[in-house]
Amino acid sequence: LAVKDPTAVERANLLNMAKLSIKGLIESALSFGRTLDSDYPPLQQFFVVMEHCLKHGLKVRKSFLSYNKTIWGPLELVEKLYPEAEEIAASVRDLPGLKTPLGRARAWLRLALMQKKMADYLRCLIIQRDLLSEFYEYHALMMEEEGAVIVGLLVGLNVIDANLCVKGEDLDSQVGVIDFSVYLKSDDDIGGKERNVQIAAILDQKNYVEELNRQLNSTVSSLHARVDSLEKSNTKLIEELAIAKNNIIKLQEENHQLRSENTLILMKTQHHLEATKVDVEAELQTYKHSRQGLDEMYNEARRQLREEAQLRQDMENELMVQVSMKHEIELAMKLLEKDIHEKQDTLIGLRQQLDEVKAINVEMYQKLQVSEDAMREKNEIISRLEDKTNQINATMKQLEQRLQQAEKAQMEAEAEDAKLKQEYVNKSESLQNEFSQKEKQLLQLETDLKIEKEWRQTLEDDLQKEKETVSHLRTETQEVVKLKKEFLKLQDKNKQLKSICEDQEAALQELASKLSESKLKIEDIKEANKALQGQVWLKDKEATHCKLCEKEFSLSKRKHHCRNCGEIFCNACSDNELPLPSSPKPVRVCDSCHAILIQRCSSNVP
C-alpha cells in the first residue's frame, strides 16, 4: 500500500468538512426562510470549521510568555490588500470585550459574513502567497489548491442574510469543536456497506485525532521549555531597563550641573564686564579733563610766545636805532633766543606727550570694542549651549516616553504574538542607538564647555592686560601733572627774565653815556669774529676719518659737519640731540661748541 501524506489527508478532511458545513448551512437557511442569528447551530458549526481551516499549517508565533497559533495575523493583513476591509478591521479593534487575537479573528469572520464579502477577502489573501508564507507552512490548506476550492464554495453564502450580535458575545473563551453528529445519518437510512465506510472514516479520524494529540503534547512540552527561557530573558530585559533608568537619572543630574555652571559663568562675566566698563568710563573722563587742561596750557603758551615775539621785534627796532650798542644787544637777544628755544622744546615735548595720550585713548577704545565683541561671541556660545541643553532635555523626555511605552508593551506582551516581540526588539535596538547618540552629544557638550572655559581664561588675561595699561596710563598722567608743574616754574623763570630784560634796558641807557668803553668792546668782538672767519670747512676728500673716534667714514658712519667750528664727526660720536620747533625730529649738536651739525654725503657713498 502507498503511504499517504498526513498533511494531504488533513487538507482533504478539512475540505470535505467545509463542503458539508457550507452545504448544510445553505440548505437549512433556505428551508428556515428568514435571517439567521448567532445562536443558529449550523452557522456556529460553519464558523468552527472555518476556524480549523484557517488554523491548518499555521506557523508558531513567538510571544513573551508562550508560543501560540493565531489566525488574526493573516486576517489583519487583508485590510492592506483590500481597502474596503479597513472598516471591519477598525471596528474589530474598537470592540471593548475582545482581549485575545483569536476573539478578534472570530469577530472578523462574523462581520465579513454579514457584509457578504468573506469570499472576496479570502480570495485576495490566497493570491498573495509570498505574504501568506510568513504565517503558514508550505503544506497548509491556505497555501494549496484546497484553499481556492473553499473560497469558491464561500461564494454560495452570499444568498444568506445573517444578523449577528458581536458586541456582547464572549468570543475569546468559545471552544471550537466540530459536532460530527450533525453530518452523520441514522442506522435506518444507511446500509451495511455505508456503515462500514463510515466506521472506517471514523477510525481514520480517530487515528488522526490521536496523532494530533500526540503532536500537541510534544509541542506543549517544547512550549514550556521556551516559556522558561523567555522568562529568563524577560528578567534580563527588566534589569537592563532599570540600568537604563539609572543612566537617565545620572544624565539628568549632569545636565542640571552643567546648566548651573553655565549660569555661574554668565554671572561672573557680567560682573567683570560691568566693572571694566565703569573703570574705562572713569578713565576716559579723566583723560578728557587732562586733555582740556593741556590744551588750555598750550594756548596760553602760544599767546605768551606771541607776546614775546612782539617784544623781541620791538627790541630789534630799538637796537637798530642804537647802532653803537648793536653787538651787545645782539648778545642779549641770543640769550633770549636760547630761552625761547628751550621753551619751544618743552612745548614740543608736551605736544608729543599729548599725541601719545591720544594714541593711548584710541588703543583703549579699540580694546574696549574688541572685548565687547568677544563678550557677544561668548553670549552666542552660551545661547547655543542652552539650546543644546534644551534639545537634550527634549530627547530625554522622548526617551522616558519611549521607555514608558516599552513598559506598557511588556505588560501587554503576555497575550500578544511573536510579531510584538520582534517590534519590541527593534525598539530596544533603536533605544540603544539613541543612547549612544546622546552619549556622543554629551561628549560634544563637554568639549564645548572646555572651549568656553578657555575663552573665559583668555578674557581674564585680556582684562589683566587692560588693567596694566590703565596703571601705565595713570603713571603717564602723573608725569603730565609733573610737566605742568615744570611749565609753571618755566613761566616764573620767564617773568624773572622779563624783569632782567627791563633791568638791562635801564643798563643800556646808562651805557649810552659810556661810548668809549663800548667802542673797545666792539673792537674785541670784531677780532673774535676775524678769528672765527679764519676757520674753513674741510673738503670731502680730505675728511676721511672722524675727529673723535678716528674711524673711517662709511655707509653706517655718516659725516656730520659743525657750522660754527668746522669740525667733522660721525653719527656715532655726535650723540647730543636737541629738539627744534621748526623740525619734527631732534637735531644733532657739536660736542665742542654745541652748534647744529649738518649731515654731508660720504665720499664712499654715491
Side-chain angles (χ1 to χ4, degrees):
L1 293 173
V3 179
K4 293 183 179 181
D5 187 8
T7 57
V9 174
E10 291 174 2
R11 290 197 300 272
N13 291 333
L14 289 172
L15 178 62
N16 291 327
M17 287 303 302
K19 287 179 180 178
L20 289 172
S21 63
I22 292 169
K23 181 179 178 183
L25 180 61
I26 292 171
E27 289 175 355
S28 61
L30 292 174
S31 62
F32 195 62
R34 59 186 179 87
T35 303
L36 302 179
D37 298 326
S38 57
D39 296 329
Y40 194 59
L43 186 60
Q44 293 179 355
Q45 288 297 311
F46 165 73
F47 287 127
V48 171
V49 171
M50 287 302 300
E51 185 177 340
H52 281 281
C53 292
L54 291 171
K55 282 184 178 179
H56 183 261
L58 192 67
K59 287 183 179 180
V60 176
R61 306 292 290 179
K62 295 179 181 179
S63 65
F64 288 98
L65 298 175
S66 63
Y67 289 75
N68 56 2
K69 294 181 180 180
T70 177
I71 60 175
W72 174 241
L75 294 179
E76 194 177 12
L77 189 65
V78 175
E79 63 178 339
K80 296 179 181 178
L81 303 174
Y82 203 86
E84 294 181 1
E86 293 178 358
E87 184 179 356
I88 62 170
S91 60
V92 166
R93 292 191 191 96
D94 295 332
L95 285 174
L98 300 178
K99 296 180 181 179
T100 61
L102 183 61
R104 295 189 186 95
R106 289 169 177 170
W108 188 90
L109 290 173
R110 283 159 174 75
L111 292 174
L113 182 64
M114 284 192 289
Q115 284 186 349
K116 297 183 180 181
K117 290 185 179 180
M118 184 185 292
D120 297 331
Y121 294 157
L122 295 178
R123 182 175 58 81
C124 293
L125 191 62
I126 63 173
I127 290 171
Q128 302 292 332
R129 301 232 173 142
D130 53 348
L131 297 176
L132 280 177
S133 61
E134 295 179 3
F135 301 95
Y136 290 101
E137 301 289 345
Y138 68 96
H139 57 77
L141 185 141
M142 297 298 290
M143 299 290 288
E144 296 294 335
E145 294 180 355
E146 286 83 353
V149 175
I150 290 173
V151 170
L153 293 172
L154 290 174
V155 177
L157 295 176
N158 293 334
V159 299
I160 297 172
D161 294 326
N163 186 9
L164 307 176
C165 183
V166 182
K167 186 174 181 180
E169 197 170 280
D170 187 10
L171 299 176
D172 295 326
S173 61
Q174 286 183 0
V175 180
V177 179
I178 300 173
D179 188 6
F180 295 100
S181 63
V182 178
Y183 308 107
L184 296 176
K185 293 183 179 179
S186 62
D187 295 334
D188 298 329
D189 297 329
I190 60 175
K193 293 183 180 180
E194 292 179 354
R195 173 181 269 177
N196 292 329
V197 172
Q198 288 178 357
I199 290 169
I202 290 167
L203 289 173
D204 291 334
Q205 290 177 358
K206 180 183 178 183
N207 293 327
Y208 166 70
V209 170
E210 289 177 353
E211 184 68 22
L212 182 63
N213 287 328
R214 187 177 60 80
Q215 291 180 358
L216 287 172
N217 290 324
S218 63
T219 53
V220 165
S221 62
S222 63
L223 287 172
H224 282 299
R226 290 181 181 177
V227 163
D228 294 332
S229 64
L230 283 172
E231 286 178 352
K232 293 179 181 179
S233 63
N234 191 11
T235 55
K236 290 180 181 179
L237 286 172
I238 291 168
E239 291 175 356
E240 290 177 355
L241 281 171
I243 293 166
K245 287 180 179 179
N246 292 327
N247 291 327
I248 288 167
I249 293 166
K250 290 179 181 178
L251 290 172
Q252 287 178 353
E253 291 177 355
E254 290 178 357
N255 189 8
H256 288 302
Q257 290 178 359
L258 291 172
R259 291 181 72 181
S260 63
E261 288 179 359
N262 285 328
T263 53
L264 288 174
I265 290 166
L266 276 171
M267 294 293 290
K268 288 180 180 179
T269 51
Q270 286 177 0
H271 285 306
H272 282 299
L273 274 175
E274 290 175 357
T276 51
K277 283 181 180 179
V278 171
D279 293 335
V280 168
E281 287 176 357
E283 288 172 358
L284 285 172
Q285 288 178 0
T286 54
Y287 290 150
K288 287 179 181 179
H289 290 302
S290 62
R291 188 173 63 186
Q292 289 177 0
L294 290 172
D295 290 331
E296 291 175 358
M297 289 167 63
Y298 177 70
N299 293 323
E300 289 177 0
R302 286 185 66 184
R303 183 176 57 77
Q304 290 175 2
L305 284 173
R306 286 175 184 174
E307 291 176 358
E308 289 176 359
Q310 188 67 32
L311 290 171
R312 189 180 66 180
Q313 288 179 1
D314 295 333
M315 290 295 292
E316 286 177 356
N317 292 324
E318 290 175 358
L319 288 171
M320 288 295 292
V321 175
Q322 298 175 357
V323 178
S324 62
M325 304 302 292
K326 179 180 179 182
H327 295 289
E328 292 178 356
I329 292 169
E330 284 178 355
L331 291 172
M333 288 301 293
K334 284 180 180 179
L335 293 171
L336 289 173
E337 285 177 356
K338 285 181 182 179
D339 294 331
I340 291 165
H341 284 305
E342 289 176 356
K343 292 176 183 178
Q344 288 177 351
D345 295 337
T346 55
L347 287 172
I348 289 166
L350 290 172
R351 285 180 185 174
Q352 291 178 355
Q353 289 177 0
L354 280 171
D355 294 331
E356 289 175 356
V357 170
K358 288 179 181 178
I360 289 166
N361 285 330
V362 172
E363 288 178 358
M364 288 296 294
Y365 183 71
Q366 290 177 356
K367 287 181 180 179
L368 201 150
Q369 286 182 348
V370 170
S371 64
E372 286 179 353
D373 294 333
M375 287 306 300
R376 287 174 185 170
E377 292 177 356
K378 288 293 179 182
N379 290 325
E380 290 177 356
I381 291 167
I382 289 164
S383 64
R384 291 175 186 171
L385 286 172
E386 288 179 352
D387 293 333
K388 287 183 181 179
T389 53
N390 291 327
Q391 290 178 1
I392 289 170
N393 288 325
T395 52
M396 293 299 288
K397 288 179 181 178
Q398 291 179 1
L399 287 172
E400 289 177 355
Q401 291 176 0
R402 290 181 182 177
L403 283 171
Q404 291 176 0
Q405 291 177 2
E407 290 175 356
K408 290 180 181 178
Q410 185 180 2
M411 295 297 291
E412 294 176 357
E414 294 177 356
E416 289 181 354
D417 56 354
K419 182 177 180 180
L420 294 176
K421 167 69 177 177
Q422 189 66 30
E423 290 178 356
Y424 182 76
V425 171
N426 293 328
K427 286 182 180 179
S428 65
E429 290 177 355
S430 64
L431 284 170
Q432 290 178 357
N433 294 325
E434 289 177 355
F435 275 123
S436 62
Q437 290 178 0
K438 297 308 167 191
E439 289 176 354
K440 291 179 182 178
Q441 289 180 358
L442 282 172
L443 290 172
Q444 188 175 3
L445 281 173
E446 289 177 356
T447 53
D448 291 334
L449 282 172
K450 288 179 181 178
I451 292 167
E452 185 182 359
K453 287 179 181 178
E454 292 175 357
W455 276 99
R456 179 186 171 189
Q457 188 65 31
T458 53
L459 275 174
E460 289 177 355
D461 294 335
D462 292 332
L463 286 172
Q464 188 65 30
K465 290 178 181 179
E466 287 178 358
K467 287 179 180 178
E468 291 176 357
T469 53
V470 166
S471 63
H472 182 66
L473 288 170
R474 285 177 181 173
T475 54
E476 287 181 353
T477 52
Q478 290 176 1
E479 290 177 357
V480 169
V481 172
K482 289 179 181 178
L483 290 171
K484 185 177 180 181
K485 291 178 180 178
E486 290 178 358
F487 183 74
L488 293 173
K489 290 180 181 179
L490 289 172
Q491 284 182 349
D492 296 332
K493 288 181 181 180
N494 190 9
K495 291 178 180 179
Q496 291 176 2
L497 288 172
K498 283 182 180 180
S499 64
I500 291 167
C501 186
E502 290 174 357
D503 294 333
Q504 286 178 357
E505 288 178 356
L508 286 172
Q509 290 177 2
E510 292 176 357
L511 288 172
S513 62
K514 298 179 182 180
L515 290 172
S516 60
E517 293 178 357
S518 64
K519 286 180 181 180
L520 293 173
K521 290 180 182 179
I522 288 166
E523 287 176 357
D524 293 333
I525 292 167
K526 284 181 180 180
E527 288 176 357
N529 286 326
K530 287 178 181 179
L532 290 173
Q533 288 177 0
Q535 295 179 357
V536 183
W537 283 14
L538 291 175
K539 294 182 179 179
D540 289 335
K541 294 180 180 179
E542 294 176 357
T544 59
H545 292 78
C546 179
K547 187 176 180 182
L548 292 176
C549 63
E550 295 182 355
K551 291 182 180 180
E552 188 178 0
F553 293 114
S554 62
L555 183 62
S556 61
K557 291 182 176 294
R558 296 182 295 278
K559 295 178 181 180
H560 292 276
H561 193 282
C562 180
R563 65 173 73 182
N564 190 14
C565 62
E567 297 295 336
I568 297 176
F569 305 95
C570 64
N571 56 351
C573 294
S574 57
D575 292 331
N576 294 327
E577 294 182 353
L578 287 175
L580 285 178
S582 59
S583 64
K585 294 182 179 179
V587 297
R588 297 182 183 272
V589 180
C590 180
D591 291 330
S592 60
C593 65
H594 299 287
I596 297 172
L597 296 178
I598 300 172
Q599 185 178 352
R600 299 176 66 185
C601 180
S602 177
S603 60
N604 298 327
V605 181

